Amino acid sequence: LIQAVLNITGNAVQALTTSNYATPSESDHTQSSPKIMIRTRIHRHMTLGGHLYKLVCRIDICNNGPNIPDDLRDKIFVPMVSSSASNSGLGLSIAQSIVNQHHGLIAFSSDEDETCFSIYLPLNIQG
């Protein structure tokens, strides 16, 4: 699971360091400083993969870099797909595989202000 979070965070770092942040222009509508935010939440009574779980952990990894291009949105979890020539395109597919092994899922949203990947993991709390 650590590897999954590192892969997604690494993609966020790469998106921020290869974007317009190096030379921001006056017409750039994005924020002037790159930011990555990681936050966690608990969801109660959530369905993942057709199974209802009492508790689910959500880990959001968000950045204020450029949005994911429309032509990549349907295939970003496919191996070898990347918007960067220097990226292998394996990070998100590996992250998805790891999260799936724990009966979880990864979702994302992306617009001009923020790209956010959310990892949902069921919690089995024995009491």
Side-chain angles (χ1 to χ4, degrees):
L1 289 173
I2 292 169
Q3 188 63 56
V5 172
L6 287 174
N7 288 0
I8 295 170
T9 305
N11 283 357
V13 169
Q14 185 176 23
L16 292 172
T17 57
T18 59
S19 70
N20 293 334
Y21 290 112
T23 56
S25 67
E26 289 181 19
S27 63
D28 189 8
H29 68 279
T30 61
Q31 296 179 357
S32 61
S33 61
K35 294 179 186 162
I36 296 174
M37 181 171 50
I38 299 175
R39 74 182 157 238
T40 59
R41 298 285 184 267
I42 293 292
H43 290 271
R44 297 185 188 282
H45 305 288
M46 184 173 180
T47 302
L48 296 175
H51 188 270
L52 179 63
Y53 293 97
K54 289 183 181 181
L55 291 175
V56 172
C57 173
R58 185 178 96 199
I59 305 166
D60 292 332
I61 303 165
C62 305
N63 70 78
N64 64 341
N67 65 338
I68 296 172
D70 289 339
D71 61 331
L72 290 182
R73 288 176 187 246
D74 290 339
K75 51 190 171 189
I76 61 169
F77 293 106
V78 175
M80 311 302 280
V81 171
S82 176
S83 62
S84 169
S86 65
N87 191 341
S88 69
L90 293 174
L92 286 177
S93 67
I94 290 171
Q96 183 181 46
S97 176
I98 292 168
V99 170
N100 285 345
Q101 289 173 18
H102 292 274
H103 308 287
L105 68 87
I106 301 176
F108 77 94
S109 62
S110 184
D111 59 33
E112 65 270 357
D113 297 325
E114 180 179 73
T115 295
C116 192
F117 283 83
S118 298
I119 300 172
Y120 294 89
L121 295 167
L123 297 176
N124 242 349
I125 298 178
Q126 307 284 323

